[in-house]
Amino acid sequence: MEFLTISQVSKQFNISTRMLRYYEKEGLLCSSRRQDYSYRIYDGEAVRRLQQILVFRKLRIPVKQIAEILNDREQVRTLEITQENLRQINEEIAALSLMRDVLNRMAEKLDGNLKRRVRLDLLEDGEIMDIIHVLEPPKTNLKEGYSMEDLTKADKAMERKMEIRIVYLPPAEVASYQYVGENPEDPAGDMILDFIKKSDLARIKPDFRLYGFNNPSPAEGQKEYGYEFWATIPEDMEVQAPLKKKHFNGGLYAAHCIKMGDFHEWEGFVRQVLASKEYEGDFREPRGMDGCLEEELNIYTNVAEGKRENVQLDLLIPIKKRGS
């Protein structure tokens, strides 16, 4: 039986080693280790399972539902999940069709009005408002035979729906911890969470924030990389080794919220931010990801309740006004 290393699987399927480890953590995928080899390896069954996972993710099925599908021998729950996601997509199709019809009608009206030098008043245009109020969702013909390439194109087309916010992160003192090795997010996260609990940070500073970033980032041919966490702390607070106290300059950032595990959205997010006509990247410290950060949202509640389920993250890209 042929085995593939985690790096080989990552390269063959164009998926980060971080995502592979996340799928393992969520119980979707299993790797093994040989006595004479220190890194993860995947057999043919694991690779086939990964291919199924990637198809389901292209169909935008959430990770937790994929886990249910893969463990559903009778496929009753699989049918329920498929129908549930199909309903959501049909609702989305109906909404997009509605917007298309309204925009088409507006274009026709504007074309005619320009010739007559008349301004369009959308709210006073009964024809357009009738479309909005009475348009029925169209029936959808679903057909078989779509390839992975087709699904990828459809996935990229949906990037236009990505919600991007502009936020200001205030300067702050932070307690930092960096770990370099295989799967560095876990040991780095355990250390910073232990600090948060032992220092009673949630009580001392209930508005504390938790940032993270690759440091150093994964590199071609390297099996290990680093991850660093920052917890904001009061200015006069001291931290003990192995943690370090640092200063975060803050600044302007583009933000996009994801569910834990949806790190593939980084690619589309970066692409859209760099294509902005109003803002441009302002890459700066920390240099691990050129200033880009990942912030765990609602960290106060997650720590206070001792639960870290359904975690959401803000992906953050440092930006500035174009020409500034």
Side-chain angles (χ1 to χ4, degrees):
M1 180 181 296
E2 183 181 358
F3 290 90
L4 296 177
T5 66
I6 188 169
S7 296
Q8 289 172 328
V9 172
S10 172
K11 188 173 183 179
Q12 182 173 330
F13 294 99
N14 192 29
I15 179 174
S16 69
T17 55
R18 183 180 185 185
M19 282 304 302
L20 288 169
R21 286 187 282 263
Y22 175 73
Y23 289 152
E24 287 196 44
K25 187 176 180 181
E26 293 298 310
L28 273 69
L29 195 63
C30 290
S31 64
S32 57
R33 294 177 188 266
R34 290 195 308 229
Q35 290 184 348
D36 59 339
Y37 199 76
S38 59
Y39 296 105
R40 288 177 169 87
I41 55 175
Y42 298 86
D43 59 19
E45 183 179 347
V47 169
R48 182 172 177 78
R49 191 176 175 92
L50 174 61
Q51 289 176 301
Q52 294 180 69
I53 293 169
L54 295 179
V55 170
F56 287 132
R57 289 303 291 135
K58 292 294 183 185
L59 292 170
R60 295 183 176 264
I61 296 177
V63 169
K64 291 190 181 298
Q65 288 188 343
I66 294 174
E68 291 185 77
I69 290 172
L70 294 175
N71 295 318
D72 181 25
R73 293 187 177 182
E74 301 299 324
Q75 296 198 320
V76 174
R77 178 59 182 146
T78 301
L79 176 60
E80 294 174 351
I81 291 172
T82 301
Q83 291 173 332
E84 177 185 336
N85 282 274
L86 182 57
R87 280 194 297 271
Q88 293 175 359
I89 289 174
N90 280 335
E91 289 174 2
E92 195 170 340
I93 289 172
L96 291 172
S97 295
L98 172 65
M99 288 186 281
R100 181 191 60 196
D101 288 346
V102 171
L103 290 171
N104 275 334
R105 192 66 191 126
M106 281 182 62
E108 292 171 1
K109 287 273 186 177
L110 286 165
D111 184 53
N113 287 359
L114 283 173
K115 295 172 182 176
R116 300 194 305 272
R117 297 186 179 181
V118 177
R119 290 186 62 82
L120 172 65
D121 188 332
L122 181 63
L123 298 180
E124 294 298 324
D125 192 301
E127 208 173 339
I128 293 178
M129 295 308 294
D130 283 345
I131 296 175
I132 295 175
H133 291 310
V134 305
L135 181 66
E136 302 227 348
K139 294 183 180 178
T140 309
N141 294 319
L142 301 177
K143 52 186 179 180
E144 300 176 355
Y146 286 106
S147 66
M148 177 65 86
E149 184 179 357
D150 294 326
L151 294 175
T152 300
K153 289 179 180 177
D155 190 54
K156 287 188 179 296
M158 292 303 293
E159 281 182 3
R160 289 182 300 171
K161 294 175 80 262
M162 186 175 284
E163 180 182 343
I164 297 176
R165 308 172 341 263
I166 306 300
V167 300
Y168 176 78
L169 301 184
E173 302 303 308
V174 301
S176 73
Y177 181 75
Q178 177 197 22
Y179 182 90
V180 177
E182 186 181 4
N183 197 19
E185 295 89 352
D186 290 341
D190 290 342
M191 179 65 76
I192 205 75
L193 287 173
D194 186 61
F195 162 77
I196 290 169
K197 292 172 185 176
K198 288 183 176 178
S199 66
D200 203 12
L201 186 61
R203 182 185 63 80
I204 298 171
K205 185 176 173 59
D207 63 342
F208 82 96
R209 305 175 78 154
L210 182 63
Y211 303 112
F213 54 96
N214 292 332
N215 185 24
S217 291
E220 182 71 27
Q222 290 185 335
K223 298 181 175 66
E224 295 184 349
Y225 63 100
Y227 200 82
E228 184 170 340
F229 275 105
W230 286 357
T232 60
I233 58 175
E235 289 187 12
D236 59 353
M237 186 176 188
E238 297 300 325
V239 299
Q240 302 297 319
L243 276 71
K244 296 179 180 179
K245 185 175 181 179
K246 297 183 178 181
H247 180 74
F248 172 45
N249 290 325
L252 199 64
Y253 288 78
H256 171 60
C257 183
I258 65 167
K259 294 179 181 178
M260 175 64 83
D262 288 346
F263 299 111
H264 62 279
E265 295 194 25
W266 261 118
E267 182 180 355
F269 178 38
V270 171
R271 187 160 47 241
Q272 288 199 33
V273 169
L274 295 182
S276 170
K277 295 180 180 179
E278 188 175 357
Y279 297 96
E280 62 182 330
D282 184 23
F283 301 113
R284 51 184 181 253
E285 296 291 345
R287 287 297 176 185
M289 288 167 49
D290 289 326
C292 296
L293 302 169
E294 297 168 343
E295 179 183 7
E296 181 172 334
L297 303 179
N298 202 24
I299 183 63
Y300 175 89
T301 302
N302 294 345
V303 170
E305 295 182 355
K307 297 179 182 179
R308 299 183 76 222
E309 300 175 356
N310 302 318
V311 172
Q312 290 184 308
L313 303 173
D314 256 354
L315 308 183
L316 298 161
I317 299 176
I319 56 172
K320 63 182 179 180
K321 286 275 191 178
R322 284 199 177 276
S324 63

